[in-house]
Amino acid sequence: MHSYFAHLSPQHRRSWLLVVAYVAVLLTISLADFGANTAGQTMFRGVLLGMLIFLVASGLSLIFGLLDVLNFAQGAFLLIGAYVGYDVYLRVDGSADVRFLAAIISGVVFVALIGAIMEMGLIRPLYARPVFQLVLTFGLGAIFLDLVERYYGADPKQPLAPPSLLNSNFSLFGQSLSYYRLFIIVLGIVMMIGVFLLLNRTRIGIIIRAGVQDPEMVQALGINVWRVFTLVFVLGAGLAALGGIALIPYQGATLGMGNQFLILAIVVIVIGGMGSFEGTAIASIIVGLTRAVAEQLSLAHFNAPVLAETSVLLLMIAVLLVQPNGLFGRGE
Amino acid sequence: MVERFVFARIQRIPDSTLRGLAERLARLVLENWFFALVFVLLWRFPYIVADLSGSQVKPSRPTGDSAFWQSEMARALTLACLAMSYNLLFGFSGIVSFGHALFFGAGGYVTFILMGHYDAGLQHKALVLVLLVALGLALFSRLRARALVVVTLSGVLLALLLLPAEGAISFWQAAAVALLLSLIVSLTSGVVTLRVRGIYFAMFTLALAEVFWVLAKSGTFRSYTGAEDGLAFRSLLPPALNVTPTADGSRLTMYHWTVVFFAIIFLAIRRYMSSPVGRVMLAIRDNEERAQTIGYHTLFYKVLTMVFAGAIATLSGLLFMIWATDKIVHPDTLSLAYTVDPLLNTLIGGVGTLTGPVIATLGLHLGETYLRNETFTLGTRVFGLLAVWQIIALAIAGALVGVFRHSLTRLGERLIGAGPRTPRYERLMLAYRGGVFVTLAAVLLLIGGQLRGEAEAVYNVADLWDLFLGALFVVVVMVLPHGIVGTWNRLWATRRLRRLERQMRQEREAAGASKP
Amino acid sequence: MVEETFILEGKGLRKEFGSLVAVADVDIRVRAGELHAIIGPNGAGKTTLFNLLSGNLRPTGGTVWFKGRDITAEPLHRRVHLGIGRSFQITNIFPSLTVLENVRLAAQALGGDSFKFWWHFRRFAQYTETALTAIAQVGLSDKLAVPAAVLPHGDQRKLELAILLASDAELLLLDEPTAGMATEQVPPLMETIRAIQRGTGKTIMLVEHNMNVVMTSSDRITVMHLGAVLAEGTPAEIARNETVQQAYLGELYGDFAGIIGGAST
Ligand SMILES: Nc1ncnc2c1ncn2[C@@H]1O[C@H](COP(=O)(O)OP(=O)(O)O)[C@@H](O)[C@H]1O
Ligand SMILES: [Mg+2]
């Protein structure tokens, strides 16, 4: 960490300052407007949302960084993960813990499989035609959404009980909260650290990072880049599915959740800078916080929850204007 | 053929002015006869249907099938305009927008919200707000966007002039304001995002459209938008535009106006693409940096095209809604569905072809309407030829071979040896590919035959239509990237090129022979 | 001493790619009407220097002056209108357009009709005329309707040159116009280039590896090495220059020049 800050480029150093200042502003506004307790709750909700967004966005960012493919089907991965997990949860016998575990495993594996097939069969032949790749992932997203609706129906699915281990409450900022929420935050942090370590401390991570810089060179070193591509794609898909299943006890499963999180993830990527892992992590939390504060603000003053949705987009537009490559993007 | 003959004859006309005139006339006829024919067919379409089905086309009150197909054709034509506008961006310019639905839906929403809630003071304030936003964007973005400020300013001023200072606003005024707003939005977002990498543009447009979709659906603005139920506008529509079959209005006239609208849009796009600007767009699609290096300010051309495409989408959206049977602007007109639809039609018809998107839209839309109520089982024969399950088996085999053609080629090269592209190699490869396909198809047919014995379930065409479209989409993207018309054109172009080459070779040989 | 006038000047031009310095504080001056050759081994930074002069890349430091005006901040497309045209070492054309259309677009760019979306492009026949002349100059007139992508490599190089000619620029930056061409095609193309220069009085900057061509046809030569200018002068001066001979000509081009010289006599 020490050396990390020493080696920052001026642009990134400025971005860090911006980020800190922005979060401070959000914090001040909430403290001044909502009072300490509500402000604390809002921040907690923001971080929680940020972690969920991170699960989708990190996959998107990883895949884009390495493969130069922006996977518009990432939202559909989350959706499929959630619905398949939900289905398995209801079908499996046993305690809530077992069922939840089964849901996680089956959902993630199923989506990872879809990701693998999609990368090998459909994405790979199209590397020479990037526009078609873009269009393909977009179209597949729509097709997946359609298939899920056909198979599971359009009605929203009610939230399910979280595992018994996490089904008790704790008190924070004067509000009783389920441990499950804390679990999601911890899960997000674990994934952040996990992916960070994978990228920085393992051989495969070094290959991935080198591949992001210069795929041809990696290929020239005699490493099978294709396999690494597939791996990253599968990893991204799996993370999104995990996010979808993690959402079930929290808000159930709805057809709209895929696109909702895809948009948020896109905002995150634009803000954080495409292909930058730290940028994605930081921007996820910023977007989560912004969203939560905007929600709280509009609830308190305008009675118009939709304004929260626009707030995030405005943030994205602002960043696009001042820093077209995102806060932590590679300058071109 | 005919062309060469006609022009050869014209060359023989001695008088030069006459020759020029004849040439222009010949070109006009040769380039347009097909479209003129289509126009006449579309014009006569209600009468043809009436004759075929025995229903009535009274000038004002069509009944039965004729009435039904009139509105279906009219809707299909507006959707074709939408697809053409999408193709203008995607096909002719290489700009990938995932938020085209925003413009499609905006026409209806803006027009009817303005009409329903017109309050002179408020509209002025709203427009001032738009102006401020545009100004802010122009000032704070790091661009020298003087042109943007000027155009936005004049757009807003024009909109202000269009709004009556008191009383109600007419449909036409409201529609004009909607069009202006769409111009401003496409202009602003185009200038801001088209300069960065295409991928940012795709993401930005997707997010923008999605947000407006959410806004339109949200209960917060229910009194304006009708939230999820949509905006009912039956009472707002001027009688002349009321096309409900029961109304003694001018339904057939309206149909004919729709055909005219379609023709105008088609001709406008054709002219745009063959204008100096259109040529530059083709250059940009091919190689943007090179276009800059020969002196084109490419951003200008891209924004211009986006504004043009947005305007067409807005107008066709409005017309589409006028033809809606329930007279409601649904929030879905802003949703992804209306971006996917033109994208799909463009891809299937042929990216970057003039007629492709039209053919695909009309074919798919009318096809769906025609087959919507049909049911079938796996054993049903299509056109009395193959049974459904056989077609599915063959399609799957074809798709598998197409999708995995790279792996298959690699495997094949391992089998027959990766030779240079000699005729022998090509023949072996062809035989190998054919063999794989036939084997696959045979296996699938066998399995399908087994399955068919068990499954006598009855399917609805309407239920499976989206799935069919999805499969078609994947197949087109993977194995037929130029779509129907594009592939056809390419075949012809290749043939012509071959002939040219042969000719040149013969001439060269003849010249070589005569030399010594 | 009377101050000489230069059509193009680069002052302290520098370009860094990350930690790599591709062009290191290069000063270069080109007089109007001369044929100025740039030579140097691969990776010396010649193409990058051209990119800085033409505006395809922004310099990390330094300024570019054209006809006494600082044009460092001018975007790529504006420089063409000022009179700087260029061709590329790696063929850079519009692959799906025909030969005629490739060249016609370059001619159209210079006129004021490019934004007229309401007229058919055929209405502006003058650009087609310009294009046809340029195509005839490079000798591609029999392939007007052929898509650029299917042309053989040598013809694509000619097309690249025709695009440049149609731009009617005063200063032509030619980056290895003969790169990858068959040996017997090189002399005619160089002859065309020289004829153009003599006929129109255009200024030409030329990157070329064929020492015969460089020594016989250029007025001045700049030698680049590792991003910096090693020497600058007339061909005779360069041939006499000890540093160049030792560090560069002898080492890298000795045999090569001999072979080419032998082949072309
Ligand atoms: N876009 C770029 N990014 C990174 N390095 C580059 C880029 N363009 C050129 N270089 C590097 O700059 C150096 C000079 O290259 P170049 O100007 O093409 O040389 P020349 O034309 O003299 O052969 C080379 O080492 C090359 O690898
Ligand atoms: Mg070079």
Side-chain angles (χ1 to χ4, degrees):
Chain A
M1 271 293 129
H2 177 76
S3 63
Y4 170 81
F5 282 102
H7 287 112
L8 278 181
S9 72
Q11 186 213 323
H12 288 195
R13 211 165 293 171
R14 202 185 63 187
S15 299
W16 267 108
L17 279 180
L18 269 178
V19 168
V20 172
Y22 181 72
V23 173
V25 167
L26 282 185
L27 205 62
T28 322
I29 291 178
S30 350
L31 278 175
D33 203 84
F34 318 137
N37 265 351
T38 317
Q41 288 164 16
T42 311
M43 290 293 146
F44 184 78
R45 217 167 332 113
V47 173
L48 179 72
L49 183 63
M51 291 303 166
L52 284 167
I53 300 173
F54 171 77
L55 289 180
V56 183
S58 59
L60 205 61
S61 162
L62 270 180
I63 294 173
F64 180 79
L66 180 65
L67 285 65
D68 232 0
V69 179
L70 193 67
N71 179 22
F72 278 91
Q74 192 77 356
F77 286 159
L78 174 135
L79 185 73
I80 298 174
Y83 271 83
V84 169
Y86 199 97
D87 198 25
V88 169
Y89 188 98
L90 293 186
R91 281 167 197 256
V92 171
D93 290 326
S95 69
D97 297 357
V98 173
R99 299 163 92 183
F100 200 73
L101 202 66
I104 289 187
I105 293 172
S106 53
V108 169
V109 168
F110 185 72
V111 171
L113 260 176
I114 295 183
I117 294 172
M118 185 170 146
E119 202 279 331
M120 290 193 286
L122 300 178
I123 306 261
R124 197 177 288 176
L126 293 182
Y127 280 109
R129 291 187 278 147
V131 171
F132 279 79
Q133 237 172 13
L134 200 67
V135 164
L136 179 84
T137 62
F138 180 68
L140 283 179
I143 293 170
F144 286 148
L145 177 66
D146 204 56
L147 284 175
V148 170
E149 181 178 357
R150 184 165 309 281
Y151 199 73
Y152 290 111
D155 298 329
K157 307 266 182 221
Q158 294 307 312
L160 296 170
S164 56
L165 208 64
L166 302 169
N167 207 3
S168 50
N169 289 350
F170 67 101
S171 183
L172 186 71
F173 303 119
Q175 193 191 28
S176 165
L177 291 166
S178 149
Y179 269 109
Y180 185 73
R181 301 190 174 207
L182 202 61
F183 165 73
I184 292 185
I185 293 186
V186 173
L187 181 73
I189 294 173
V190 167
M191 282 300 150
M192 252 179 218
I193 296 173
V195 177
F196 181 81
L197 289 181
L198 177 81
L199 283 181
N200 289 284
R201 295 278 185 278
T202 61
R203 193 181 120 79
I204 197 96
I206 292 166
I207 296 174
I208 292 176
R209 278 188 308 148
V212 170
Q213 299 286 325
D214 191 349
E216 275 143 38
M217 188 200 66
V218 174
Q219 183 84 57
L221 289 178
I223 294 158
N224 187 346
V225 181
W226 295 122
R227 205 162 299 154
V228 181
F229 279 16
T230 311
L231 188 83
V232 168
F233 204 86
V234 166
L235 182 71
L239 280 171
L242 186 64
I245 300 164
L247 273 167
I248 294 178
Y250 186 53
Q251 62 168 49
T254 56
L255 285 177
M257 68 202 281
N259 274 334
Q260 185 197 349
F261 274 88
L262 175 66
I263 301 282
L264 289 171
I266 283 177
V267 171
V268 161
I269 297 223
V270 172
I271 292 178
M274 305 237 268
S276 153
F277 182 73
E278 45 174 328
T280 309
I282 297 164
S284 299
I285 296 179
I286 290 183
V287 168
L289 287 177
T290 307
R291 182 80 198 260
V293 171
E295 232 159 56
Q296 192 65 33
L297 270 178
S298 55
L299 259 181
H301 299 289
F302 315 110
N303 192 25
V306 280
L307 292 184
E309 202 98 20
T310 21
S311 69
V312 171
L313 186 85
L314 288 180
L315 188 66
M316 171 171 124
I317 293 176
V319 172
L320 255 184
L321 291 181
V322 292
Q323 191 82 71
N325 286 321
L327 291 179
F328 297 93
R330 289 166 271 154
E332 273 175 56
Chain B
M1 268 304 159
V2 180
E3 200 167 329
R4 215 181 304 161
F5 175 74
V6 170
F7 279 108
R9 291 299 294 268
I10 289 174
Q11 288 312 313
R12 274 187 251 146
I13 298 177
D15 182 46
S16 75
T17 29
L18 211 61
R19 193 168 58 229
L21 267 176
E23 231 173 63
R24 289 181 70 167
L25 190 71
R27 197 171 275 156
L28 196 73
V29 172
L30 282 171
E31 280 177 6
N32 293 296
W33 68 268
F34 179 71
F35 302 118
L37 185 72
V38 171
F39 181 81
V40 170
L41 276 179
L42 282 175
W43 190 269
R44 297 291 307 169
F45 178 75
Y47 304 92
I48 298 172
V49 174
D51 284 349
L52 286 178
S53 64
S55 52
Q56 292 280 316
V57 185
K58 286 192 202 138
S60 62
R61 267 198 128 165
T63 58
D65 277 355
S66 181
F68 175 77
W69 283 105
Q70 254 175 51
S71 29
E72 287 306 330
M73 182 56 107
R75 264 197 289 271
L77 286 175
T78 57
L79 288 175
C81 290
L82 177 68
M84 282 194 288
S85 75
Y86 196 81
N87 185 34
L88 198 59
L89 288 177
F90 179 47
F92 288 126
S93 320
I95 302 171
V96 181
S97 160
F98 287 154
H100 210 52
L102 174 60
F103 297 107
F104 189 70
Y109 269 111
V110 174
T111 307
F112 294 118
I113 288 178
L114 264 180
M115 287 181 74
H117 297 265
Y118 190 66
D119 163 359
L122 200 69
Q123 310 308 331
H124 283 82
K125 272 181 223 144
L127 282 164
V128 170
L129 192 73
V130 171
L131 174 70
L132 286 179
V133 170
L135 265 178
L137 282 177
L139 290 180
F140 286 106
S141 59
R142 282 198 228 149
L143 1 145
R144 283 179 286 167
R146 271 159 303 183
L148 172 70
V149 179
V150 170
V151 176
T152 315
L153 261 173
S154 32
V156 173
L157 286 177
L158 202 60
L160 279 170
L161 287 178
L162 281 170
L163 293 171
E166 53 205 31
I169 187 168
S170 79
F171 172 82
W172 299 108
Q173 283 169 322
V177 173
L179 184 62
L180 272 171
L181 275 182
S182 125
L183 292 181
I184 292 171
V185 169
S186 54
L187 186 75
T188 336
S189 54
V191 170
V192 173
T193 51
L194 275 173
R195 65 175 47 235
V196 290
R197 283 183 60 181
I199 200 126
Y200 278 95
F201 183 74
M203 295 195 296
F204 178 83
T205 47
L206 176 69
L208 195 68
E210 193 78 2
V211 162
F212 276 95
W213 180 52
V214 170
L215 285 179
K217 277 198 315 180
S218 92
T220 314
F221 307 109
R222 183 176 296 278
S223 59
Y224 288 93
T225 61
E228 304 220 302
D229 302 331
L231 172 59
F233 60 84
R234 196 181 293 274
S235 57
L236 300 171
L237 210 57
L241 297 180
N242 195 346
V243 291
T244 32
T246 49
D248 250 345
S250 33
R251 184 182 166 80
L252 192 62
T253 323
M254 196 55 201
Y255 172 80
H256 284 147
W257 276 117
T258 308
V259 174
V260 169
F261 172 79
F262 168 77
I264 291 175
I265 297 291
F266 181 85
L267 292 177
I269 288 179
R270 190 169 78 152
R271 173 45 69 83
Y272 187 83
M273 282 324 294
S274 54
S275 76
V277 174
R279 302 280 112 184
V280 178
M281 287 316 298
L282 292 181
I284 293 175
R285 179 188 65 180
D286 260 21
N287 189 345
E288 178 161 3
E289 196 197 352
R290 190 62 170 123
Q292 288 172 353
T293 313
I294 56 174
Y296 291 110
H297 187 16
T298 52
L299 180 68
F300 169 83
Y301 296 91
K302 292 203 290 187
V303 172
L304 187 67
T305 307
M306 181 173 164
V307 167
F308 188 43
I312 294 174
T314 307
L315 291 178
S316 16
L318 188 55
L319 196 55
F320 178 81
M321 283 157 210
I322 289 175
W323 277 101
T325 7
D326 52 7
K327 298 288 170 284
I328 287 175
V329 184
H330 286 281
D332 280 356
T333 50
L334 289 166
S335 76
L336 273 187
Y338 282 92
T339 300
V340 175
D341 186 75
L343 169 63
L344 186 77
N345 289 325
T346 304
L347 276 171
I348 292 174
V351 175
T353 62
L354 207 54
T355 49
V358 178
I359 292 175
T361 313
L362 295 190
L364 288 174
H365 186 87
L366 298 178
E368 186 199 354
T369 312
Y370 189 74
L371 297 172
R372 196 153 43 198
N373 300 321
E374 302 284 323
T375 56
F376 64 93
T377 68
L378 286 180
T380 308
R381 283 180 184 277
V382 177
F383 298 123
L385 290 170
L386 296 171
V388 171
W389 66 271
Q390 288 166 332
I391 293 176
I392 293 177
L394 288 175
I396 292 178
L400 283 176
V401 171
V403 167
F404 292 104
R405 64 185 185 283
H406 293 284
S407 334
L408 277 176
T409 308
R410 230 171 299 133
L411 193 70
E413 283 182 344
R414 210 173 291 167
L415 285 176
I416 59 179
R421 304 203 147 263
T422 55
R424 192 182 116 79
Y425 169 86
E426 298 279 347
R427 262 201 311 277
L428 277 174
M429 238 11 215
L430 197 69
Y432 159 75
R433 285 207 185 97
V436 170
F437 175 76
V438 169
T439 319
L440 248 175
V443 170
L444 284 168
L445 282 173
L446 271 174
I447 299 174
Q450 293 297 318
L451 290 180
R452 196 210 136 218
E454 285 143 34
E456 276 303 316
V458 178
Y459 298 99
N460 256 320
V461 171
D463 287 344
L464 292 172
W465 190 259
D466 285 351
L467 231 65
F468 163 68
L469 285 186
L472 200 59
F473 168 81
V474 173
V475 170
V476 167
V477 169
M478 300 307 297
V479 296
L480 206 68
H482 304 289
I484 302 169
V485 177
T487 311
W488 173 262
N489 286 347
R490 252 148 211 276
L491 286 178
W492 276 100
T494 319
R495 276 193 49 181
R496 216 173 313 141
L497 206 69
R498 288 271 148 75
R499 206 167 53 216
L500 208 75
E501 273 171 6
R502 214 171 31 241
Q503 233 169 14
M504 265 157 57
R505 202 172 43 236
Q506 280 165 2
E507 276 166 22
R508 217 174 305 137
E509 274 159 16
S514 67
K515 229 178 220 164
Chain C
M1 203 179 111
V2 186
E3 186 128 324
E4 275 185 286
T5 52
F6 298 98
I7 184 165
L8 181 80
E9 283 179 273
K11 296 183 181 169
L13 279 176
R14 187 175 183 82
K15 181 68 189 179
E16 297 166 10
F17 294 112
S19 56
L20 177 95
V21 183
V23 172
D25 308 313
V26 165
D27 289 304
I28 192 160
R29 299 156 152 204
V30 182
R31 288 182 191 78
E34 73 180 8
L35 198 159
H36 192 122
I38 314 257
I39 59 173
N42 278 324
K46 307 177 296 289
T47 299
T48 309
L49 178 65
F50 267 24
N51 282 332
L52 297 180
L53 297 175
S54 68
N56 289 70
L57 288 175
R58 300 237 153 271
T60 317
T63 49
V64 182
W65 297 71
F66 184 66
K67 291 201 240 171
R69 230 182 96 188
D70 184 355
I71 59 160
T72 319
E74 293 286 353
L76 182 53
H77 60 92
R78 293 266 313 131
R79 296 194 194 192
V80 186
H81 292 270
L82 294 175
I84 304 178
R86 75 165 294 182
S87 73
F88 291 83
Q89 175 182 0
I90 298 165
T91 304
N92 197 347
I93 46 182
F94 305 111
S96 74
L97 305 183
T98 62
V99 168
L100 177 60
E101 196 55 19
N102 263 280
V103 185
R104 204 193 62 79
L105 275 164
Q108 180 189 295
L110 272 292
D113 304 309
S114 292
F115 61 90
K116 293 182 179 162
F117 57 84
W118 52 91
W119 291 124
H120 200 289
F121 77 93
R122 274 199 302 256
R123 188 185 182 87
F124 308 103
Q126 67 270 32
Y127 305 127
T128 314
E129 300 291 319
T130 316
L132 289 174
T133 319
I135 294 173
Q137 266 177 308
V138 300
L140 276 180
S141 297
D142 55 343
K143 300 194 172 153
L144 291 180
V146 181
V150 302
L151 285 178
H153 179 79
D155 286 348
Q156 289 188 344
R157 302 303 302 169
K158 290 182 192 166
L159 175 58
E160 180 99 32
L161 190 61
I163 291 176
L164 184 54
L165 293 179
S167 307
D168 195 34
E170 281 171 71
L171 170 67
L172 309 183
L173 307 176
L174 300 174
D175 195 353
E176 302 193 25
T178 60
M181 277 178 112
T183 342
E184 70 273 9
Q185 285 184 305
V186 174
L189 193 72
M190 283 314 299
E191 193 41 54
T192 315
I193 292 173
R194 244 170 293 169
I196 289 160
Q197 192 216 1
R198 265 184 249 116
T200 58
K202 287 183 198 293
T203 317
I204 292 183
M205 275 181 89
L206 172 75
V207 174
E208 180 55 60
H209 282 303
N210 185 329
M211 293 312 286
N212 250 10
V213 169
V214 171
M215 287 298 170
T216 53
S217 54
S218 48
D219 301 310
R220 289 191 84 77
I221 298 176
T222 297
V223 186
M224 283 185 78
H225 191 58
L226 296 175
V229 174
L230 201 62
E232 204 254 37
T234 61
E237 284 166 10
I238 294 297
R240 263 184 275 119
N241 190 313
E242 291 278 315
T243 339
V244 176
Q245 266 179 10
Q246 278 171 9
Y248 170 63
L249 279 180
E251 231 176 81
L252 285 155
Y253 274 122
D255 333 338
F256 187 51
I259 292 163
I260 298 284
S264 62
T265 44

